[in-house]
Amino acid sequence: AEESERDRTSVVGLREKILRDSVGFRRDVEDIEGDAKTANLALRKALEAAGAELQAGRKEIGESRAKVAEKDAAIERLNKQLRTLMERAAQKMQASFDNLDE
């Protein structure tokens, strides 16, 4: 009977330890889940910020390309005007030389 009582006490003690460990384990799992949710939220915010930065960068690139295209068009207009002026100057010089021969 004494041994049976010790066994029963031992079993009860073991059950209580398992119960405590189970509660502790559950708390650990809840803590880990909370940490994971916090990390997930932080990651999501970081990704959203990175996405916004990427969009801003794309917009800036688009604006820069438009400015470059405007400058290229202006350079092309100026080159065309310069060619026209040079052709006129060459024609005038040729006309001057032609008049000298006469």
Side-chain angles (χ1 to χ4, degrees):
E2 195 177 300
E3 191 174 309
S4 177
E5 184 61 32
R6 262 187 283 154
D7 288 346
R8 198 148 94 209
T9 303
S10 191
V11 167
V12 169
L14 189 55
R15 267 194 206 142
E16 288 174 356
K17 182 179 180 334
I18 289 171
L19 186 60
R20 280 192 312 268
D21 288 350
S22 175
V23 169
F25 176 72
R26 205 171 310 134
R27 284 184 188 143
D28 289 346
V29 168
E30 289 170 357
D31 288 347
I32 290 169
E33 286 175 343
D35 291 348
K37 285 179 184 177
T38 301
N40 191 20
L41 181 61
L43 179 60
R44 185 172 300 173
K45 286 182 179 183
L47 287 173
E48 287 172 359
E53 253 184 72
L54 180 61
Q55 288 295 76
R58 286 180 178 162
K59 181 180 177 187
E60 191 175 325
I61 288 171
E63 291 169 354
S64 295
R65 285 181 177 162
K67 287 179 184 177
V68 167
E70 287 174 17
K71 291 188 190 272
D72 282 348
I75 289 170
E76 190 57 40
R77 279 193 309 275
L78 291 172
N79 280 337
K80 189 174 183 180
Q81 289 174 358
L82 183 59
R83 279 192 299 272
T84 302
L85 290 172
M86 290 176 72
E87 287 171 2
R88 286 183 188 161
Q91 289 170 358
K92 284 183 181 181
M93 286 175 54
Q94 187 62 47
S96 293
F97 285 128
D98 289 345
N99 286 337
L100 286 177
D101 290 340
E102 294 175 6

